[in-house]
Amino acid sequence: MTETVLLVGGGGREHAIARAVAGAADAELYACASNRNPGIASLAEGFEQVEETDAGAVVDYAESVGATLAAIGPESALNAGVADALDDAGVYAFGPREAEARIETDKAFQREFMAEHDVPGCPDFEVFEDAEAAADYIREYDGDLAIKPRGLTGGKGVRVIGDQITAEEGVDYVLESDYDAFVLEERLVGEEFTVQAFVANGEYRVSPAVQDHKRAYEGDEGPNTGGMGSYSDAAFALPFMTEDDYAAAVEVIDAVVEAMPDYKGILYGQFMLTAEGPKVVEFNARFGDPEAMNTLPVMETDFVELLVAAREGDELPELEFAGQATVCKYAVPEGYPTDPEAGAKVQIDEESAGDALLFYASVDARDDGVYTTTSRSFAVVGLADTVSEAEAIAEDALQRAGEEGLRVRHDIGTSDLVQRRIDHMREIRGN
Ligand code: AMP
Ligand code: GLY
């Protein structure tokens, strides 16, 4: 039977999901998002402009196209109960219901859940609803803390003492910002990596680890962003970690799935590889953006077959991966993220990207071409046997795109930067 799949969301991550659905053996794609992503629109039978958080409008569109499955990209939709509304309307949503999505959307819940269920890798933490009490805790704490507003902040609310700010600035931050609750937790030091698992019916399947680059500028300088680019290796582990480190991260995923038997969709673990092994920075209830663009292009298992198995309560298929390294680099508007300048014409499309894949993100498709907005514009992804070769493919595509009005972190995936990660881990582990 042909499945009719509704995709919710219009970023680079969702363009990667759209490509996976379009490449499935027997599926038709429809999509809805607040922005018209030209890459998704060209793969879909229909594209409707609706707010991703408007559960009623998403359900109306799902029913009007006869959707049999839905894939939800952004956390804002999960937080708004879009998966609940689709499920309740009889359209199986691959994405957790609002209650389970709290593992991402409520950082206090996330840590308390870990503590209650003995999920390994939980840093020491305290939750504060009173800003004065939080300030006192920061003043008295012996060591560095990460300060996290309880709710969603688009990746921009966390402040790390000893990294981005001083303890004094941390005190000012909790006293002066409008957030109603904070999680204060032990600062973790090491190298970050992501593991994304496909979860349904108490089962899960993992994918290769990915390393994202959150800082805006080369050399990991500047403000945090949604993610400037990412790489994965031909193996499941990254060059700076061992297979045991990867296995320890999977143990964490395992413990979460066991403690949350109704969870469905992607469970994204963000880990810090510390001297004591992987600790959990956070969980997300969806694919990462950019990480989806590393993972889905190398996944050889039919994505829609996986969703059907999830819906039917069948055993999930074992996942096959191509065994290739990937490098993803985002082109963002000049001035992003603090002072982004929109309106540059994008000089590249999927045909002219050479050997790289092109994924559109927040762009504006006009009659005479595609233009940048104030968010991340598009990403190029190279696939090859090694990270360096994949990096060269991504760079070749970026050269074709030209640099006018755009900024890129050219260092992502270079042997230099990967070597620095390896050296950093050696230093932390003292070997
Ligand atoms: P989040 O918004 O939770 O993704 O956090 C943004 C970034 O803050 C993470 O990618 C980490 O780099 C950093 N971060 C969060 N929690 C911690 C922690 N406990 N220790 C050190 N860095 C952290
Ligand atoms: N790449 C980080 C995120 O999707 O939250």
Side-chain angles (χ1 to χ4, degrees):
M1 171 189 141
T2 301
E3 297 289 339
T4 303
V5 183
L6 177 68
L7 169 63
V8 180
R13 160 182 55 208
E14 287 79 18
H15 189 181
I17 299 172
R19 213 174 144 269
V21 173
D26 209 1
E28 277 187 340
L29 174 71
Y30 288 82
C32 61
S34 55
N35 62 305
R36 190 178 172 82
N37 179 315
I40 297 174
S42 75
L43 292 169
E45 309 290 324
F47 190 105
E48 182 86 350
Q49 236 162 318
V50 299
E51 286 302 321
E52 291 91 348
T53 51
D54 186 344
V58 173
V59 169
D60 285 349
Y61 185 56
E63 288 180 333
S64 76
V65 302
T68 56
L69 283 170
I72 301 176
E75 63 275 21
S76 58
L78 300 168
N79 191 39
V82 170
D84 309 55
L86 286 165
D87 283 347
D88 295 348
V91 182
Y92 181 86
F94 193 66
R97 295 172 74 93
E98 194 185 340
E100 277 87 32
R102 285 169 69 212
I103 196 147
E104 165 167 11
T105 60
D106 179 343
K107 289 185 200 290
F109 170 81
Q110 177 186 107
R111 291 311 190 198
E112 282 159 359
F113 169 85
M114 288 185 78
E116 190 179 327
H117 295 278
D118 287 325
V119 175
C122 189
D124 289 333
F125 71 96
E126 292 285 342
V127 179
F128 292 92
E129 284 175 3
D130 177 50
E132 288 294 343
D136 282 341
Y137 186 78
I138 297 171
R139 287 191 192 100
E140 283 155 29
Y141 191 80
D142 180 21
D144 291 333
L145 289 166
I147 305 174
K148 303 178 153 186
R150 177 177 195 152
L152 291 178
T153 64
K156 288 161 194 130
V158 175
R159 297 288 182 280
V160 181
I161 295 174
D163 182 23
Q164 302 152 306
I165 57 170
T166 63
E168 223 166 283
E169 287 164 337
V171 167
D172 292 344
Y173 183 60
V174 295
L175 291 178
E176 284 161 22
S177 58
D178 292 332
Y179 299 116
D180 56 5
F182 289 94
V183 178
L184 302 185
E185 63 187 33
E186 142 194 31
R187 176 190 176 195
L188 303 169
V189 177
E191 280 295 324
E192 283 186 72
F193 67 94
T194 302
V195 176
Q196 299 163 106
F198 298 75
V199 184
N201 312 311
E203 273 192 312
Y204 66 92
R205 299 285 184 265
V206 292
S207 57
V210 185
Q211 188 173 46
D212 185 17
H213 298 70
K214 285 217 157 83
R215 294 300 189 88
Y217 312 131
E218 283 170 17
D220 297 317
E221 303 286 337
N224 270 340
T225 68
M228 293 295 295
S230 45
Y231 67 97
S232 62
D233 207 346
F236 272 56
L238 289 161
F240 57 82
M241 57 197 276
T242 64
E243 281 179 23
D244 284 351
D245 296 326
Y246 182 84
V250 173
E251 286 303 308
V252 172
I253 302 272
D254 189 274
V256 173
V257 174
E258 192 177 335
M260 238 186 216
D262 293 334
Y263 194 94
K264 60 189 169 67
I266 299 299
L267 177 63
Y268 166 124
Q270 176 79 28
F271 297 93
M272 186 75 80
L273 184 54
T274 70
E276 289 88 47
K279 296 271 176 85
V280 176
V281 173
E282 65 166 343
F283 292 110
N284 290 329
R286 41 142 187 113
F287 277 117
D289 188 346
E291 290 96 327
M293 293 181 280
N294 301 93
T295 304
L296 287 168
V298 292
M299 188 168 103
E300 292 178 336
T301 308
D302 190 305
F303 180 63
V304 175
E305 272 178 30
L306 184 88
L307 267 51
V308 170
R311 181 188 65 200
E312 300 303 318
D314 296 341
E315 194 180 333
L316 298 180
E318 295 299 331
L319 301 187
E320 302 281 342
F321 290 92
Q324 281 188 303
T326 67
V327 173
C328 173
K329 302 199 195 204
Y330 254 120
V332 302
E334 206 90 69
Y336 173 86
T338 43
D339 244 335
E341 273 173 52
K345 191 168 182 182
V346 175
Q347 308 286 356
I348 186 174
D349 59 23
E350 287 166 88
E351 281 70 48
S352 60
D355 291 335
L357 301 172
L358 179 92
F359 296 102
Y360 287 107
S362 299
V363 287
D364 184 16
R366 303 182 199 158
D367 289 342
D368 69 334
V370 172
Y371 290 82
T372 61
T373 67
T374 54
S375 253
R376 294 179 293 183
S377 310
F378 64 87
V380 295
V381 178
L383 276 64
D385 290 340
T386 65
V387 175
S388 318
E389 289 169 276
E391 197 270 340
I393 293 170
E395 278 297 323
D396 175 64
L398 289 168
Q399 272 187 2
R400 293 160 191 258
E403 297 215 345
E404 210 171 323
L406 297 172
R407 203 170 51 71
V408 171
R409 267 193 65 172
H410 292 291
D411 60 346
I412 294 170
T414 57
S415 341
D416 260 14
L417 194 56
V418 173
Q419 189 59 47
R420 276 176 43 194
R421 307 295 192 219
I422 296 169
D423 295 344
H424 184 210
M425 253 356 275
R426 282 216 179 104
E427 191 191 312
I428 284 177
R429 289 180 144 143
N431 64 10

